[in-house]
Amino acid sequence: MNTDASAVSERLDRIRALLAGLTGPLGNGEMRAWTNLGDAQSMPLEVFRLMGDLGLFERWYPDVPVDVPDTPDELSSRLGEIDQAGALRRLVSIASTTLAYHSRGRYDEAKARQVFGSLLRLLGHGTHWWTNTDLTSWNPVTRHVFDAVVIGVGNGVIVTVLAFDED
Protein backbone atom coordinates (compact mmCIF):
# COMPACT_ATOMS: atom_id res chain seq x y z
CA MET A 1 0.00 0.00 0.00
CA ASN A 2 1.48 3.37 -0.92
CA THR A 3 1.65 6.28 1.50
CA ASP A 4 -1.38 8.11 0.03
CA ALA A 5 -3.58 4.99 0.13
CA SER A 6 -2.37 4.25 3.64
CA ALA A 7 -3.18 7.81 4.79
CA VAL A 8 -6.69 7.63 3.28
CA SER A 9 -7.30 4.23 4.88
CA GLU A 10 -6.15 5.54 8.26
CA ARG A 11 -8.36 8.65 7.89
CA LEU A 12 -11.32 6.45 6.97
CA ASP A 13 -10.80 4.29 10.09
CA ARG A 14 -10.51 7.35 12.34
CA ILE A 15 -13.70 8.89 10.91
CA ARG A 16 -15.61 5.62 11.31
CA ALA A 17 -14.52 5.42 14.96
CA LEU A 18 -15.48 9.06 15.53
CA LEU A 19 -19.00 8.59 14.07
CA ALA A 20 -19.65 5.13 15.53
CA GLY A 21 -21.98 6.50 18.22
CA LEU A 22 -24.35 8.31 15.85
CA THR A 23 -26.25 5.48 14.18
CA GLY A 24 -29.45 4.24 15.80
CA PRO A 25 -32.97 5.15 16.92
CA LEU A 26 -33.62 8.81 17.67
CA GLY A 27 -37.00 10.27 18.52
CA ASN A 28 -39.57 8.79 16.13
CA GLY A 29 -36.86 8.20 13.57
CA GLU A 30 -33.20 7.37 13.30
CA MET A 31 -29.77 8.74 12.61
CA ARG A 32 -27.35 7.06 10.22
CA ALA A 33 -23.72 7.80 9.44
CA TRP A 34 -21.64 6.21 6.70
CA THR A 35 -18.05 6.68 5.68
CA ASN A 36 -16.61 5.22 2.48
CA LEU A 37 -13.90 5.84 -0.04
CA GLY A 38 -14.90 8.11 -2.91
CA ASP A 39 -14.89 11.51 -4.50
CA ALA A 40 -17.38 14.19 -5.54
CA GLN A 41 -18.09 12.41 -8.82
CA SER A 42 -18.97 9.08 -7.15
CA MET A 43 -20.89 10.67 -4.25
CA PRO A 44 -24.44 10.71 -5.74
CA LEU A 45 -24.34 7.01 -6.65
CA GLU A 46 -22.73 6.04 -3.34
CA VAL A 47 -25.28 7.93 -1.21
CA PHE A 48 -28.22 6.77 -3.36
CA ARG A 49 -27.08 3.15 -3.00
CA LEU A 50 -26.64 3.41 0.78
CA MET A 51 -30.08 4.97 1.27
CA GLY A 52 -31.69 2.48 -1.08
CA ASP A 53 -30.10 -0.46 0.74
CA LEU A 54 -31.84 0.75 3.92
CA GLY A 55 -35.19 0.91 2.11
CA LEU A 56 -35.49 4.67 2.61
CA PHE A 57 -37.07 5.18 -0.82
CA GLU A 58 -39.69 2.42 -0.51
CA ARG A 59 -43.29 3.42 -0.05
CA TRP A 60 -45.04 2.16 3.08
CA TYR A 61 -48.45 2.42 1.45
CA PRO A 62 -48.45 1.95 -2.34
CA ASP A 63 -51.48 4.24 -2.86
CA VAL A 64 -49.96 7.17 -0.96
CA PRO A 65 -47.66 9.32 -3.10
CA VAL A 66 -44.17 9.83 -1.69
CA ASP A 67 -41.71 12.29 -3.16
CA VAL A 68 -38.48 10.29 -3.15
CA PRO A 69 -35.61 10.49 -5.64
CA ASP A 70 -35.68 7.78 -8.32
CA THR A 71 -32.05 8.09 -9.46
CA PRO A 72 -28.67 9.26 -8.11
CA ASP A 73 -28.93 12.33 -10.36
CA GLU A 74 -32.33 13.21 -8.92
CA LEU A 75 -30.96 12.79 -5.38
CA SER A 76 -28.07 15.05 -6.31
CA SER A 77 -30.48 17.69 -7.70
CA ARG A 78 -32.13 17.90 -4.26
CA LEU A 79 -28.83 18.81 -2.59
CA GLY A 80 -27.27 22.23 -2.40
CA GLU A 81 -23.58 22.89 -1.86
CA ILE A 82 -22.74 24.64 1.42
CA ASP A 83 -19.60 25.90 3.09
CA GLN A 84 -17.81 24.33 6.04
CA ALA A 85 -19.48 26.60 8.62
CA GLY A 86 -22.91 25.70 7.23
CA ALA A 87 -22.04 22.00 7.33
CA LEU A 88 -20.94 22.25 10.96
CA ARG A 89 -24.11 24.16 11.90
CA ARG A 90 -26.36 21.54 10.27
CA LEU A 91 -24.43 18.55 11.66
CA VAL A 92 -24.55 19.94 15.19
CA SER A 93 -28.27 20.66 14.87
CA ILE A 94 -29.32 17.22 13.58
CA ALA A 95 -27.20 15.47 16.22
CA SER A 96 -28.35 17.62 19.16
CA THR A 97 -32.11 17.90 18.47
CA THR A 98 -34.66 15.62 16.86
CA LEU A 99 -36.26 16.80 13.64
CA ALA A 100 -39.94 16.38 14.48
CA TYR A 101 -40.27 17.61 18.07
CA HIS A 102 -36.91 19.29 18.68
CA SER A 103 -36.26 17.21 21.79
CA ARG A 104 -32.80 16.13 22.93
CA GLY A 105 -30.85 14.42 20.17
CA ARG A 106 -27.98 11.94 20.19
CA TYR A 107 -25.50 14.40 21.75
CA ASP A 108 -25.75 17.64 23.65
CA GLU A 109 -24.64 20.63 21.59
CA ALA A 110 -21.11 20.79 23.09
CA LYS A 111 -20.46 17.10 22.36
CA ALA A 112 -21.86 17.49 18.83
CA ARG A 113 -19.53 20.46 18.19
CA GLN A 114 -16.58 18.43 19.44
CA VAL A 115 -17.40 15.37 17.29
CA PHE A 116 -18.10 17.31 14.11
CA GLY A 117 -15.22 19.72 14.61
CA SER A 118 -12.99 16.64 14.67
CA LEU A 119 -14.72 15.33 11.55
CA LEU A 120 -14.06 18.56 9.65
CA ARG A 121 -10.37 18.44 10.62
CA LEU A 122 -10.09 14.79 9.55
CA LEU A 123 -11.69 15.44 6.17
CA GLY A 124 -9.33 18.34 5.70
CA HIS A 125 -8.98 21.46 3.64
CA GLY A 126 -10.91 21.59 0.39
CA THR A 127 -13.76 19.32 1.52
CA HIS A 128 -16.99 19.88 -0.41
CA TRP A 129 -20.29 19.78 1.48
CA TRP A 130 -23.88 19.23 0.37
CA THR A 131 -27.21 19.16 2.18
CA ASN A 132 -30.95 19.04 1.54
CA THR A 133 -31.85 21.45 4.35
CA ASP A 134 -31.38 24.94 5.73
CA LEU A 135 -32.79 23.62 9.06
CA THR A 136 -36.19 25.25 8.50
CA SER A 137 -37.12 23.61 5.18
CA TRP A 138 -35.78 20.74 3.08
CA ASN A 139 -35.97 18.86 -0.18
CA PRO A 140 -37.11 15.34 0.71
CA VAL A 141 -34.54 12.61 0.17
CA THR A 142 -36.35 9.74 1.96
CA ARG A 143 -39.92 8.51 2.40
CA HIS A 144 -40.05 10.03 5.89
CA VAL A 145 -41.93 13.16 6.91
CA PHE A 146 -38.71 14.88 8.03
CA ASP A 147 -35.20 14.21 6.81
CA ALA A 148 -31.88 16.01 6.84
CA VAL A 149 -28.71 14.82 5.15
CA VAL A 150 -25.24 16.35 5.23
CA ILE A 151 -22.57 14.93 2.93
CA GLY A 152 -18.90 15.79 2.95
CA VAL A 153 -16.33 14.71 0.36
CA GLY A 154 -12.68 15.34 0.99
CA ASN A 155 -9.29 13.71 0.55
CA GLY A 156 -10.70 10.48 -0.89
CA VAL A 157 -13.46 10.00 1.69
CA ILE A 158 -17.25 10.43 1.54
CA VAL A 159 -19.10 11.02 4.83
CA THR A 160 -22.88 10.95 4.95
CA VAL A 161 -24.91 11.85 8.06
CA LEU A 162 -28.66 11.38 7.75
CA ALA A 163 -31.45 11.97 10.25
CA PHE A 164 -35.08 11.14 9.58
CA ASP A 165 -38.15 11.44 11.78
CA GLU A 166 -41.94 11.22 11.88
CA ASP A 167 -44.47 13.40 13.65
Side-chain angles (χ1 to χ4, degrees), residues 119-162:
L119 172 65
L120 271 57
R121 286 187 296 279
L122 283 167
L123 283 172
H125 179 71
T127 297
H128 293 273
W129 294 95
W130 295 268
T131 189
N132 70 322
T133 184
D134 65 4
L135 298 174
T136 58
S137 63
W138 64 97
N139 287 321
V141 294
T142 73
R143 68 173 180 235
H144 295 278
V145 174
F146 301 100
D147 58 43
V149 66
V150 180
I151 304 161
V153 178
N155 292 307
V157 175
I158 300 172
V159 173
T160 306
V161 177
L162 170 70

Short mmCIF file of all heavy atoms in Angstrom, two decimals, residues 119-162:
data_model
loop_
_atom_site.label_atom_id
_atom_site.label_comp_id
_atom_site.label_asym_id
_atom_site.label_seq_id
_atom_site.Cartn_x
_atom_site.Cartn_y
_atom_site.Cartn_z
N LEU A 119 -14.43 15.83 12.89
CA LEU A 119 -14.72 15.33 11.55
C LEU A 119 -14.21 16.30 10.48
O LEU A 119 -13.54 15.88 9.52
CB LEU A 119 -16.22 15.10 11.37
CG LEU A 119 -16.67 14.76 9.95
CD1 LEU A 119 -16.10 13.42 9.50
CD2 LEU A 119 -18.18 14.78 9.84
N LEU A 120 -14.50 17.58 10.64
CA LEU A 120 -14.06 18.56 9.65
C LEU A 120 -12.54 18.58 9.54
O LEU A 120 -12.00 18.65 8.43
CB LEU A 120 -14.58 19.95 10.01
CG LEU A 120 -15.96 20.32 9.43
CD1 LEU A 120 -17.06 19.37 9.81
CD2 LEU A 120 -16.33 21.73 9.81
N ARG A 121 -11.85 18.47 10.66
CA ARG A 121 -10.37 18.44 10.62
C ARG A 121 -9.87 17.18 9.92
O ARG A 121 -8.92 17.22 9.15
CB ARG A 121 -9.80 18.55 12.03
CG ARG A 121 -9.90 19.96 12.60
CD ARG A 121 -9.18 20.11 13.91
NE ARG A 121 -9.73 19.29 14.98
CZ ARG A 121 -10.80 19.60 15.71
NH1 ARG A 121 -11.45 20.73 15.47
NH2 ARG A 121 -11.22 18.82 16.67
N LEU A 122 -10.51 16.03 10.18
CA LEU A 122 -10.09 14.79 9.55
C LEU A 122 -10.32 14.79 8.04
O LEU A 122 -9.52 14.26 7.28
CB LEU A 122 -10.80 13.59 10.18
CG LEU A 122 -10.27 13.16 11.55
CD1 LEU A 122 -11.25 12.18 12.21
CD2 LEU A 122 -8.90 12.52 11.41
N LEU A 123 -11.43 15.37 7.60
CA LEU A 123 -11.69 15.44 6.17
C LEU A 123 -10.75 16.42 5.48
O LEU A 123 -10.38 16.22 4.33
CB LEU A 123 -13.14 15.82 5.88
CG LEU A 123 -14.14 14.69 6.07
CD1 LEU A 123 -15.57 15.20 5.97
CD2 LEU A 123 -13.90 13.57 5.08
N GLY A 124 -10.37 17.46 6.19
CA GLY A 124 -9.33 18.34 5.70
C GLY A 124 -9.78 19.49 4.82
O GLY A 124 -10.95 19.63 4.47
N HIS A 125 -8.79 20.28 4.48
CA HIS A 125 -8.98 21.46 3.64
C HIS A 125 -9.50 21.06 2.25
O HIS A 125 -9.08 20.05 1.70
CB HIS A 125 -7.65 22.22 3.49
CG HIS A 125 -7.75 23.42 2.64
ND1 HIS A 125 -8.42 24.56 3.05
CD2 HIS A 125 -7.29 23.67 1.39
CE1 HIS A 125 -8.36 25.45 2.08
NE2 HIS A 125 -7.69 24.95 1.06
N GLY A 126 -10.39 21.85 1.72
CA GLY A 126 -10.91 21.59 0.39
C GLY A 126 -12.08 20.62 0.34
O GLY A 126 -12.52 20.23 -0.74
N THR A 127 -12.59 20.22 1.49
CA THR A 127 -13.76 19.32 1.52
C THR A 127 -14.96 20.05 0.94
O THR A 127 -15.18 21.23 1.21
CB THR A 127 -14.05 18.87 2.97
OG1 THR A 127 -12.93 18.11 3.44
CG2 THR A 127 -15.31 18.02 3.05
N HIS A 128 -15.74 19.35 0.14
CA HIS A 128 -16.99 19.88 -0.41
C HIS A 128 -18.14 19.31 0.40
O HIS A 128 -18.13 18.14 0.77
CB HIS A 128 -17.14 19.50 -1.89
CG HIS A 128 -16.14 20.16 -2.77
ND1 HIS A 128 -16.34 21.42 -3.30
CD2 HIS A 128 -14.91 19.77 -3.18
CE1 HIS A 128 -15.29 21.76 -4.01
NE2 HIS A 128 -14.40 20.78 -3.95
N TRP A 129 -19.14 20.15 0.64
CA TRP A 129 -20.29 19.78 1.48
C TRP A 129 -21.59 20.01 0.73
O TRP A 129 -21.73 21.01 0.02
CB TRP A 129 -20.29 20.63 2.75
CG TRP A 129 -19.13 20.35 3.64
CD1 TRP A 129 -17.95 21.04 3.68
CD2 TRP A 129 -19.02 19.31 4.60
NE1 TRP A 129 -17.12 20.48 4.62
CE2 TRP A 129 -17.76 19.42 5.20
CE3 TRP A 129 -19.89 18.28 5.02
CZ2 TRP A 129 -17.33 18.55 6.20
CZ3 TRP A 129 -19.45 17.42 6.01
CH2 TRP A 129 -18.20 17.55 6.59
N TRP A 130 -22.54 19.11 0.93
CA TRP A 130 -23.88 19.23 0.37
C TRP A 130 -24.91 18.89 1.44
O TRP A 130 -24.65 18.11 2.34
CB TRP A 130 -24.09 18.27 -0.81
CG TRP A 130 -23.24 18.53 -1.98
CD1 TRP A 130 -23.54 19.31 -3.07
CD2 TRP A 130 -21.93 18.01 -2.24
NE1 TRP A 130 -22.50 19.30 -3.97
CE2 TRP A 130 -21.50 18.50 -3.48
CE3 TRP A 130 -21.07 17.16 -1.54
CZ2 TRP A 130 -20.27 18.19 -4.03
CZ3 TRP A 130 -19.84 16.85 -2.07
CH2 TRP A 130 -19.45 17.35 -3.32
N THR A 131 -26.11 19.46 1.28
CA THR A 131 -27.21 19.16 2.18
C THR A 131 -28.54 19.35 1.46
O THR A 131 -28.59 19.99 0.40
CB THR A 131 -27.17 20.06 3.44
OG1 THR A 131 -28.15 19.59 4.39
CG2 THR A 131 -27.45 21.50 3.10
N ASN A 132 -29.60 18.84 2.06
CA ASN A 132 -30.95 19.04 1.54
C ASN A 132 -31.75 20.02 2.40
O ASN A 132 -32.94 20.20 2.18
CB ASN A 132 -31.70 17.71 1.46
CG ASN A 132 -32.03 17.16 2.83
OD1 ASN A 132 -31.25 17.27 3.78
ND2 ASN A 132 -33.20 16.56 2.96
N THR A 133 -31.10 20.64 3.41
CA THR A 133 -31.85 21.45 4.35
C THR A 133 -31.13 22.73 4.75
O THR A 133 -29.90 22.77 4.78
CB THR A 133 -32.18 20.64 5.64
OG1 THR A 133 -32.99 21.43 6.51
CG2 THR A 133 -30.91 20.20 6.36
N ASP A 134 -31.93 23.74 5.10
CA ASP A 134 -31.38 24.94 5.73
C ASP A 134 -31.80 24.98 7.20
O ASP A 134 -31.67 25.99 7.87
CB ASP A 134 -31.83 26.21 5.00
CG ASP A 134 -33.33 26.45 5.07
OD1 ASP A 134 -34.06 25.69 5.74
OD2 ASP A 134 -33.80 27.41 4.43
N LEU A 135 -32.32 23.85 7.69
CA LEU A 135 -32.79 23.62 9.06
C LEU A 135 -34.18 24.19 9.33
O LEU A 135 -34.71 24.04 10.42
CB LEU A 135 -31.79 24.12 10.11
CG LEU A 135 -30.43 23.40 10.05
CD1 LEU A 135 -29.45 24.04 11.02
CD2 LEU A 135 -30.59 21.91 10.33
N THR A 136 -34.80 24.84 8.35
CA THR A 136 -36.19 25.25 8.50
C THR A 136 -37.05 24.64 7.39
O THR A 136 -38.25 24.50 7.55
CB THR A 136 -36.35 26.79 8.46
OG1 THR A 136 -35.82 27.28 7.23
CG2 THR A 136 -35.63 27.44 9.64
N SER A 137 -36.44 24.29 6.27
CA SER A 137 -37.12 23.61 5.18
C SER A 137 -36.13 22.64 4.55
O SER A 137 -34.93 22.68 4.84
CB SER A 137 -37.65 24.61 4.15
OG SER A 137 -36.57 25.31 3.56
N TRP A 138 -36.64 21.75 3.67
CA TRP A 138 -35.78 20.74 3.08
C TRP A 138 -36.39 20.21 1.80
O TRP A 138 -37.59 20.33 1.58
CB TRP A 138 -35.52 19.61 4.06
CG TRP A 138 -36.75 18.84 4.43
CD1 TRP A 138 -37.19 17.68 3.89
CD2 TRP A 138 -37.75 19.21 5.40
NE1 TRP A 138 -38.39 17.31 4.47
CE2 TRP A 138 -38.75 18.24 5.39
CE3 TRP A 138 -37.88 20.29 6.27
CZ2 TRP A 138 -39.86 18.29 6.22
CZ3 TRP A 138 -39.01 20.34 7.10
CH2 TRP A 138 -39.96 19.35 7.06
N ASN A 139 -35.54 19.63 0.98
CA ASN A 139 -35.97 18.86 -0.18
C ASN A 139 -35.96 17.41 0.27
O ASN A 139 -34.92 16.91 0.70
CB ASN A 139 -34.99 19.02 -1.35
CG ASN A 139 -35.09 20.38 -1.99
OD1 ASN A 139 -36.17 20.92 -2.13
ND2 ASN A 139 -33.95 20.93 -2.37
N PRO A 140 -37.07 16.71 0.19
CA PRO A 140 -37.11 15.34 0.71
C PRO A 140 -36.15 14.40 -0.04
O PRO A 140 -36.06 14.44 -1.25
CB PRO A 140 -38.56 14.90 0.52
CG PRO A 140 -39.17 15.88 -0.42
CD PRO A 140 -38.34 17.11 -0.41
N VAL A 141 -35.44 13.60 0.75
CA VAL A 141 -34.54 12.61 0.17
C VAL A 141 -34.88 11.19 0.63
O VAL A 141 -34.25 10.23 0.19
CB VAL A 141 -33.05 12.92 0.48
CG1 VAL A 141 -32.62 14.21 -0.22
CG2 VAL A 141 -32.78 12.97 1.96
N THR A 142 -35.89 11.06 1.51
CA THR A 142 -36.35 9.74 1.96
C THR A 142 -37.87 9.74 1.96
O THR A 142 -38.51 10.77 1.72
CB THR A 142 -35.86 9.40 3.39
OG1 THR A 142 -36.59 10.19 4.33
CG2 THR A 142 -34.36 9.59 3.53
N ARG A 143 -38.46 8.62 2.31
CA ARG A 143 -39.92 8.51 2.40
C ARG A 143 -40.47 9.13 3.67
O ARG A 143 -41.68 9.21 3.86
CB ARG A 143 -40.31 7.03 2.35
CG ARG A 143 -39.85 6.31 3.62
CD ARG A 143 -40.37 4.89 3.70
NE ARG A 143 -39.90 4.29 4.91
CZ ARG A 143 -39.23 3.16 4.98
NH1 ARG A 143 -38.96 2.49 3.89
NH2 ARG A 143 -38.84 2.69 6.13
N HIS A 144 -39.62 9.54 4.59
CA HIS A 144 -40.05 10.03 5.89
C HIS A 144 -40.55 11.46 5.85
O HIS A 144 -40.20 12.23 4.96
CB HIS A 144 -38.89 9.89 6.89
CG HIS A 144 -38.53 8.45 7.12
ND1 HIS A 144 -39.22 7.65 8.00
CD2 HIS A 144 -37.59 7.67 6.55
CE1 HIS A 144 -38.72 6.43 7.97
NE2 HIS A 144 -37.73 6.42 7.09
N VAL A 145 -41.36 11.82 6.84
CA VAL A 145 -41.93 13.16 6.91
C VAL A 145 -40.82 14.21 7.01
O VAL A 145 -40.87 15.24 6.34
CB VAL A 145 -42.90 13.28 8.11
CG1 VAL A 145 -43.38 14.71 8.28
CG2 VAL A 145 -44.08 12.33 7.94
N PHE A 146 -39.83 13.97 7.85
CA PHE A 146 -38.71 14.88 8.03
C PHE A 146 -37.42 14.14 7.70
O PHE A 146 -37.25 12.99 8.11
CB PHE A 146 -38.61 15.37 9.48
CG PHE A 146 -39.82 16.08 9.97
CD1 PHE A 146 -40.75 15.42 10.75
CD2 PHE A 146 -40.05 17.41 9.66
CE1 PHE A 146 -41.88 16.07 11.23
CE2 PHE A 146 -41.17 18.08 10.13
CZ PHE A 146 -42.09 17.40 10.91
N ASP A 147 -36.53 14.78 7.00
CA ASP A 147 -35.20 14.21 6.81
C ASP A 147 -34.19 15.32 6.60
O ASP A 147 -34.53 16.40 6.13
CB ASP A 147 -35.13 13.17 5.69
CG ASP A 147 -35.57 13.68 4.33
OD1 ASP A 147 -35.18 14.82 3.96
OD2 ASP A 147 -36.28 12.96 3.62
N ALA A 148 -32.98 15.06 7.01
CA ALA A 148 -31.88 16.01 6.84
C ALA A 148 -30.62 15.19 6.58
O ALA A 148 -30.28 14.30 7.34
CB ALA A 148 -31.70 16.87 8.08
N VAL A 149 -29.95 15.50 5.48
CA VAL A 149 -28.71 14.82 5.15
C VAL A 149 -27.61 15.86 4.95
O VAL A 149 -27.88 16.95 4.42
CB VAL A 149 -28.86 13.92 3.89
CG1 VAL A 149 -29.12 14.72 2.63
CG2 VAL A 149 -27.66 13.01 3.72
N VAL A 150 -26.43 15.53 5.44
CA VAL A 150 -25.24 16.35 5.23
C VAL A 150 -24.17 15.41 4.71
O VAL A 150 -23.90 14.37 5.32
CB VAL A 150 -24.78 17.05 6.52
CG1 VAL A 150 -23.54 17.90 6.25
CG2 VAL A 150 -25.89 17.91 7.11
N ILE A 151 -23.57 15.78 3.59
CA ILE A 151 -22.57 14.93 2.93
C ILE A 151 -21.30 15.74 2.74
O ILE A 151 -21.35 16.86 2.22
CB ILE A 151 -23.09 14.44 1.56
CG1 ILE A 151 -24.42 13.71 1.72
CG2 ILE A 151 -22.03 13.57 0.88
CD1 ILE A 151 -25.21 13.60 0.44
N GLY A 152 -20.19 15.17 3.15
CA GLY A 152 -18.90 15.79 2.95
C GLY A 152 -17.99 14.89 2.14
O GLY A 152 -17.98 13.67 2.35
N VAL A 153 -17.27 15.46 1.19
CA VAL A 153 -16.33 14.71 0.36
C VAL A 153 -15.00 15.44 0.39
O VAL A 153 -14.90 16.59 -0.03
CB VAL A 153 -16.82 14.58 -1.09
CG1 VAL A 153 -15.80 13.82 -1.93
CG2 VAL A 153 -18.17 13.89 -1.16
N GLY A 154 -13.99 14.74 0.93
CA GLY A 154 -12.68 15.34 0.99
C GLY A 154 -11.57 14.32 1.13
O GLY A 154 -11.74 13.32 1.84
N ASN A 155 -10.48 14.55 0.44
CA ASN A 155 -9.29 13.71 0.55
C ASN A 155 -9.57 12.21 0.40
O ASN A 155 -9.06 11.39 1.16
CB ASN A 155 -8.57 14.00 1.87
CG ASN A 155 -7.98 15.39 1.86
OD1 ASN A 155 -7.24 15.75 0.95
ND2 ASN A 155 -8.33 16.20 2.86
N GLY A 156 -10.43 11.87 -0.57
CA GLY A 156 -10.70 10.48 -0.89
C GLY A 156 -11.75 9.80 -0.05
O GLY A 156 -11.94 8.59 -0.14
N VAL A 157 -12.47 10.57 0.77
CA VAL A 157 -13.46 10.00 1.69
C VAL A 157 -14.80 10.70 1.51
O VAL A 157 -14.86 11.92 1.36
CB VAL A 157 -12.98 10.16 3.16
CG1 VAL A 157 -14.04 9.68 4.13
CG2 VAL A 157 -11.67 9.41 3.38
N ILE A 158 -15.88 9.91 1.54
CA ILE A 158 -17.25 10.43 1.54
C ILE A 158 -17.86 10.15 2.91
O ILE A 158 -17.84 8.99 3.36
CB ILE A 158 -18.14 9.74 0.48
CG1 ILE A 158 -17.57 9.93 -0.94
CG2 ILE A 158 -19.58 10.26 0.55
CD1 ILE A 158 -18.31 9.10 -1.99
N VAL A 159 -18.38 11.17 3.56
CA VAL A 159 -19.10 11.02 4.83
C VAL A 159 -20.53 11.47 4.62
O VAL A 159 -20.77 12.55 4.08
CB VAL A 159 -18.43 11.87 5.94
CG1 VAL A 159 -19.29 11.83 7.21
CG2 VAL A 159 -17.03 11.40 6.22
N THR A 160 -21.46 10.63 5.04
CA THR A 160 -22.88 10.95 4.95
C THR A 160 -23.49 10.82 6.34
O THR A 160 -23.35 9.79 6.98
CB THR A 160 -23.61 9.97 4.00
OG1 THR A 160 -22.94 9.96 2.74
CG2 THR A 160 -25.07 10.36 3.82
N VAL A 161 -24.17 11.88 6.79
CA VAL A 161 -24.91 11.85 8.06
C VAL A 161 -26.34 12.17 7.71
O VAL A 161 -26.65 13.21 7.12
CB VAL A 161 -24.33 12.86 9.07
CG1 VAL A 161 -25.16 12.85 10.35
CG2 VAL A 161 -22.87 12.55 9.38
N LEU A 162 -27.24 11.26 8.08
CA LEU A 162 -28.66 11.38 7.75
C LEU A 162 -29.50 11.21 9.01
O LEU A 162 -29.27 10.29 9.79
CB LEU A 162 -29.05 10.29 6.74
CG LEU A 162 -30.54 10.10 6.45
CD1 LEU A 162 -31.11 11.28 5.68
CD2 LEU A 162 -30.78 8.81 5.69
#
